[in-house]
Amino acid sequence: MKKKARVTVRRAAKADIPKLVELNRAAYPKLAEQNAVWGEAHLLSHQRMFPEGQLVAEVGGRIVGAVASLVVDLGRDPLRHHTWSGITDSGFFTNHDLEADTLYGADVYVHPKARGKGVGAALYEARRQLCRRLNKRRILTGGRLWNYPDHAGKMTVAEYAQRVVAGELRDLVLSFQLREGFVLRGVMPNYLHDWRSENWASLIEWLNPGYQTRPSGPRRARIACVQYKMRKVTSFSDFARQVAYFTDVAADYRADFVMFPELFTMQLLSATDALSPQEGMQRLSDFTPKLVKLLQGLAAKYGFTIIGGSHPVKAGRNLRNICHVCLPNGQIFEQAKLHITPNERKWWGISGGTGLQVVDTPKARIGVLICYDIEFPETARFLADAGAEIIFVPFCTDNRPSFLRVRHCAAARAIENQIYVALAGNVGNLPDVENMDVQYGQSVVLTPSDFAFARDGVVGEADANEETVLICDVDLDDLHAARNDGTVTPRLDRRADLFKIVTALPLSAGKRAKPTDGPLGDQRDLSQRPPESQ
């Protein structure tokens, strides 16, 4: 007997998108004729909103299947009827809510030549593992009632579905889902504009047996901003001890986030021979693997998220100023500084990055803007529109006017976007490191300006130019309440008819599908009209 090929499942990457577009069309040729399949813009949006929920299956290194998922809040009636377009925000997943308790299966697709080889089962198991890992109460999805048209003249759709459950009839989709442990909760009309199922879908649910009820009460996060003193070190081990000391302090205060300042690794150059500024940066980039390993290990050890300041990293022939965000589960995200100051360009030869991302952490959705980036309103607006609740700003400034530019712009971003903004800067001096002689810093956590928040919009601030750790608590429930019902509601009152962000960022929140992008060129909300076949 021929042995089945091994199926491996991994997270989808941006480079997979062209293959996934082709795979979706191959899996659903009839829907492809209606331009009702995934397009590049939608798959990009999925990876931006919820990268953990986008998975691919490979056999022999070739992508043969994929799943698309998001987390949704279905309120007090999670089994209420809905449409595919409504629950997926027209396929873009911009309604993804990591704090909700329902993992929603938006799509599973397998190449026709790979069916019957265990690909679908592997993808369903990977989705169940994701549900367990995220501690979600259930997986819910709507399934096309594939074979119902063959019986439509003989029985109602509800009777058909029940007979499939009883094993009297076989449905290509529902029968498989039942074998995968799902339970039929009902049938939904007008779910998807699909000739094959006459627009009917099953409503199926898998309950997570390991689900643990989350504690009630306010959703809070504790932020530790390390006001880091530049001083001479003799080795990387000497530097690592200083970093470990501050993370240990933050752990003693039960922090959820620990942020180091921009370019705090410049301290390492004090252990080398005198170098020109550009040579120093190139030499510093060689420490990247050691730095990442250090931060990743500390995040895992203490169980919090580390915003690793920033560090010069080689990117081909370029040098970029990159922040490493390390999650307690071992994941690492990189955020490059986009806007480069004249000083950085001249002395260090730094190049700007090309993308922004929101990171889902165990406590909140966050973004990172490195120093100068916070002085550009569109950067924070982009992250806020993508769901960021806290923006972390590691900075490095050498005088008070420079610091105040960063601070005042950060305060404006907090008010404009109704988000929290946290700053952490360097203090001290490095007399032997050219262009890094002196530092001026004052770490601070800023809020929107409204009654729910701290007076003057400041949760807390450190004494200027003193080595310390600023510890602050922020209430994320207050943040969302103010967005919907504050004294002013700038997120709701924006004049989208007059102004909009037009962006070239690769994971643009504002990008919408062109006619050739799919999906669902014809997948409008069908809830207000009967199925076409009736």
Side-chain angles (χ1 to χ4, degrees), residues 274-291:
L275 300 167
S276 72
Q278 289 205 16
E279 289 173 334
M281 278 294 184
Q282 291 290 335
R283 181 81 62 87
L284 196 57
S285 68
D286 294 337
F287 288 101
T288 301
K290 286 186 175 181
L291 174 69

Side-chain angles (χ1 to χ4, degrees), residues 11 23 35 50 71 153 170 174 210 248 274-275 391 452 459 475 504 524:
R11 183 184 297 192
L23 174 64
N35 193 37
F50 184 36
V71 181
R170 181 180 178 277
L174 180 57
D248 185 66
L275 300 167
I391 291 180
V459 181
D475 190 314
R524 53 198 177 278

Side-chain angles (χ1 to χ4, degrees), residues 501-524:
I501 291 181
V502 179
T503 175
L505 287 176
L507 300 186
S508 164
K511 187 174 181 182
R512 281 296 187 245
K514 300 173 184 176
T516 56
D517 276 339
L520 329 157
D522 201 23
Q523 291 303 328
R524 53 198 177 278

Side-chain angles (χ1 to χ4, degrees), residues 130-182:
L130 176 65
C131 185
R132 294 186 185 101
R133 188 165 67 250
L134 297 178
N135 189 38
K136 300 306 176 188
R137 187 185 297 272
R138 64 176 64 80
I139 301 174
L140 198 70
T141 189
R144 303 161 74 198
L145 290 172
W146 185 272
N147 297 106
Y148 175 61
D150 301 336
H151 305 271
K154 306 170 190 175
M155 63 189 75
T156 66
V157 66
E159 182 183 354
Y160 168 79
Q162 288 298 332
R163 292 183 69 176
V164 172
V165 172
E168 299 172 13
L169 297 174
R170 181 180 178 277
D171 183 271
L172 182 66
V173 177
L174 180 57
S175 296
F176 170 77
Q177 292 167 329
L178 294 171
R179 290 197 301 272
E180 288 297 317
F182 281 81

Side-chain angles (χ1 to χ4, degrees), residues 66-125:
V67 296
S69 309
L70 69 158
V71 181
V72 295
D73 184 353
L74 291 168
R76 296 182 179 179
D77 183 12
L79 302 180
R80 60 180 171 81
H81 287 184
H82 53 268
T83 64
W84 186 95
S85 179
I87 204 163
T88 65
D89 202 5
S90 298
F92 283 93
F93 296 6
T94 44
N95 59 323
H96 167 69
D97 180 3
L98 189 64
E99 292 302 311
D101 67 358
T102 299
L103 182 65
Y104 195 85
D107 198 7
V108 178
Y109 47 107
V110 177
H111 196 282
K113 293 183 179 180
R115 289 170 185 163
K117 298 181 179 180
V119 177
L123 289 168
Y124 268 71
E125 174 58 23

